[in-house]
Amino acid sequence: MNRSGGLKADSSQFTLEGEPFHILGGSVHYFRVPRPYWKDRLLKMKACGLNTLTTYVPWNLHEPERGAFNFQDQLDLRAYISLAAEMGLWVILRPGPYICAEWDLGGLPSWLLQDKDMQLRTTYPGFVNAVNLYFDKLVAVVKPLMFEEGGPIFAVQVENEYGSYAKDEDYMPFIKNCLQTRGISELLLTSDNWEGLKYEGMDGVLKTINLQRLSFGAIQHLADMQPQKPLMVMEYWSGWYDVWGEHHHVFHAEDMLAVVSEILERGVSINLYMFQGGTNFGFMNGAMDFGTYKPQVTSYDYDAPLSEAGDCTTKYQLLRNLFHQYHSEPLPEVPAPQERRAYEPVSVQQHLSLWDSLHFADKPYRSEGPVNMENLPVNSNNGQSYGYTLYETTITSGGVLNSRNNIRDRALVFVDRQCFGCLDYKNHEVALPDAKGERTLALLVENCGRVNYGKALNEQRKGIVGDIVLNHAPLRGFSIFCLDLKPSFIKRLTNTGPWKTDFKSLSVPAFVQARLCVDGPPKDTFIRLPGWGKGVVFVNGQNLGRYWLIGPQHFLYLPGPWLRNGENQIIVFEEQRLDGKILFAEDPDHGKTIDVYKLPFCTLL
């Protein structure tokens, strides 16, 4: 089916099939919401009065290894966009290749960093070649869903906030060309914050703005740049993200509503980022680094109109009341909330030390000097992307171990399996005791999340990235274990690991196992781990993400569809300290809060 007259930006108002059209959009990322809940979230979007879904596409999930593509199951982008069409929603696709999104490396696959000269987000040949192969595959998936072919995608974003990066004047025309030469002829647009709007635009590509406050005449500034063009806030930040060790960000509903009301009254189109945030399941959280490295938390609740678990918040109700004024027909009924359960606490039944688990990892790689994660010869020579790497070597003396700031991002230091401290960005030294003879020094290094925004993308290699010295002499002769904790590894551990039930012998780091018995249809719940330190939780093989006692997040969202009636397996990898019990709650505990309206404006750019 061929249609013409899609979304046009030829006058001061958008038109769709020749009629004026006001975009009332919201972002929900399919990769942050369990697939069984896609329909519920999009029904709630429709019931709130929105007419357009926007989503990013995470390259790192769709091509985890060079040339190995995945568009199935949780990553079935075609199914997600088709579902939006069934709901009567239009779609703005934001395919990147860089997406930011508070997602590891802004969605770029880590194997790109195997090239020591790599220049991400430029026309560097190694990057160009990889993008071309990815776009060949991606566009083949989404092209049948374009407006002109009868689908719901009526606009496509060219890259993301490039004005804040702007290292290569040929790059954005290259990405535009990538889309158009593969047959995408829908409206193209860019999206930038206030700072990034200074970047020179491209012919035939509409500029949009990202903001939370109507400061500095931002919308008028956009209008002056593009006379007689429609205005759009592509990301209206409905809340904000959180980082470990700080407070949970909230943006009060009334403050948000005042700005959204003004944007709509001016006739400006809007996309709520996020409409629902969802979850950074697994190791997918990004990090920020404006002089200090700060990894983002597992929850991407974002204080959005729909909560992480899909609840309609006060923001949702206020927005529904506002958006209904822009519809001639009554809005659909809001779907009933999902039921939740606080299951009875479960006790840890078995444990397996990190050291005993190494038999189930791939054989260690022997190397004279340390090798960073991405350059390890694992995963079909695509390197290690996520998780932990264990570096072991032999020492013959004690003294001062100095990281020279070459740890990315955090390392526990062991001598003969006893922990002597932690190396990270703040702490570069650990004292090791003297003893006679050879001893094993082990460094358990965690990739806490690659930076997703800013100029440092090319410096996001993880593990040990340079020499570590003991009494000024570089360590040599390493055995390096890749512990990316993939489902296949967890399965091997579960089926054949030498699990122990004698808790007198329990030492951390360790894997511990518990069983949750669910009676009846499984319901959503939140895992709570008071008394535990830092680690990762797997339920029935699904990686729920990281927890850390420093907060602000004090829970992990466990979606009901990932549980089953009967027995469920919980495995926790704990680095520091164990408690014997795993608790469950009906509601999340986001920790202490801070109002984003009180933060300096520059922190929200």
Side-chain angles (χ1 to χ4, degrees), residues 71-125:
F71 286 91
Q72 305 299 313
D73 305 320
Q74 183 66 47
L75 296 175
D76 192 339
L77 177 57
R78 188 174 286 177
Y80 185 63
I81 293 171
S82 301
L83 187 61
E86 277 176 43
M87 306 282 140
L89 292 164
W90 299 104
V91 175
I92 298 174
L93 192 69
R94 310 174 81 190
Y98 161 84
I99 61 172
C100 184
E102 287 72 64
W103 196 249
D104 188 272
L105 202 59
L108 300 173
S110 66
W111 47 257
L112 290 166
L113 295 172
Q114 289 185 314
D115 176 352
K116 68 181 186 339
D117 300 317
M118 176 55 66
Q119 294 296 312
L120 302 172
R121 302 180 77 191
T122 70
T123 50
Y124 174 76

Side-chain angles (χ1 to χ4, degrees), residues 328-454:
S328 51
E329 303 285 323
L331 295 178
E333 290 293 310
V334 179
Q338 301 287 338
E339 282 185 62
R340 290 213 287 268
R341 265 185 76 180
Y343 294 102
E344 289 299 311
V346 296
S347 295
V348 169
Q349 295 168 318
Q350 296 176 301
H351 62 94
L352 177 66
S353 82
L354 169 69
W355 319 105
D356 289 340
S357 77
L358 297 178
H359 307 297
F360 300 93
D362 292 338
K363 282 188 179 143
Y365 174 60
R366 315 277 179 196
S367 168
E368 194 53 19
V371 178
N372 61 290
M373 272 189 180
E374 295 78 4
N375 287 98
L376 289 172
V378 295
N379 297 317
S380 309
N381 280 325
N382 286 276
Q384 181 180 348
S385 295
Y386 312 107
Y388 299 80
T389 310
L390 184 72
Y391 296 80
E392 285 192 343
T393 185
T394 302
I395 57 171
T396 53
S397 74
V400 177
L401 187 71
N402 190 306
S403 71
R404 292 187 171 174
N405 199 22
N406 285 324
I407 296 290
R408 303 285 183 276
D409 299 295
R410 192 171 175 277
L412 295 178
V413 179
F414 301 89
V415 177
D416 288 345
R417 302 186 178 181
Q418 185 181 349
C419 188
F420 283 94
C422 177
L423 296 168
D424 56 23
Y425 292 96
K426 290 178 187 161
N427 186 31
H428 298 171
E429 287 189 354
V430 168
L432 304 182
D434 277 319
K436 288 186 177 150
E438 292 192 342
R439 291 174 299 160
T440 300
L441 171 70
L443 298 163
L444 179 65
V445 185
E446 181 191 8
N447 162 8
C448 296
R450 293 183 185 85
V451 167
N452 55 268
Y453 180 85

Side-chain angles (χ1 to χ4, degrees), residues 50-271:
L50 301 183
N51 57 29
T52 303
L53 165 71
T54 72
T55 185
Y56 284 132
V57 181
W59 180 7
N60 60 352
L61 291 189
H62 287 294
E63 193 183 0
E65 295 182 2
R66 235 182 235 92
F69 292 94
N70 181 4
F71 286 91
Q72 305 299 313
D73 305 320
Q74 183 66 47
L75 296 175
D76 192 339
L77 177 57
R78 188 174 286 177
Y80 185 63
I81 293 171
S82 301
L83 187 61
E86 277 176 43
M87 306 282 140
L89 292 164
W90 299 104
V91 175
I92 298 174
L93 192 69
R94 310 174 81 190
Y98 161 84
I99 61 172
C100 184
E102 287 72 64
W103 196 249
D104 188 272
L105 202 59
L108 300 173
S110 66
W111 47 257
L112 290 166
L113 295 172
Q114 289 185 314
D115 176 352
K116 68 181 186 339
D117 300 317
M118 176 55 66
Q119 294 296 312
L120 302 172
R121 302 180 77 191
T122 70
T123 50
Y124 174 76
F127 190 68
V128 164
N129 294 340
V131 168
N132 273 317
L133 291 171
Y134 170 55
F135 271 17
D136 283 346
K137 201 70 167 178
L138 174 62
V139 175
V141 170
V142 298
K143 186 149 189 321
L145 301 163
M146 294 292 151
F147 178 91
E148 69 168 13
E149 303 206 19
I153 301 173
F154 64 9
V156 178
Q157 186 173 299
V158 184
E159 232 257 4
N160 189 58
E161 294 189 319
Y162 195 70
S164 303
Y165 194 76
K167 287 192 170 189
D168 181 341
E169 62 186 20
D170 298 323
Y171 175 66
M172 287 293 275
F174 157 66
I175 299 294
K176 177 189 175 187
N177 190 52
C178 277
L179 297 167
Q180 291 181 330
T181 55
R182 288 167 176 80
I184 288 182
S185 55
E186 307 307 334
L187 177 68
L188 297 181
L189 35 82
T190 57
S191 144
D192 280 291
N193 60 32
W194 167 268
E195 173 206 22
L197 275 179
K198 63 182 184 292
Y199 176 74
E200 193 177 326
M202 293 176 288
D203 288 344
V205 179
L206 183 73
K207 280 179 178 260
T208 67
I209 192 169
N210 303 340
L211 51 77
Q212 188 166 67
R213 313 176 193 184
L214 293 174
S215 306
F216 309 135
I219 288 176
Q220 187 56 49
H221 178 61
L222 182 64
D224 293 343
M225 294 176 85
Q226 299 183 124
Q228 288 307 298
K229 292 284 182 190
L231 296 168
M232 179 162 186
V233 179
M234 174 51 80
E235 291 185 13
Y236 178 72
W237 301 321
S238 64
W240 204 242
Y241 60 83
D242 294 339
V243 297
W244 289 113
E246 295 189 4
H247 289 353
H248 170 56
H249 291 101
V250 295
F251 180 30
H252 289 299
E254 293 73 17
D255 292 333
M256 179 207 71
L257 192 74
V259 186
V260 174
S261 301
E262 187 173 343
I263 288 169
L264 296 181
E265 280 165 20
R266 293 193 196 184
V268 176
S269 284
I270 192 169
N271 174 59

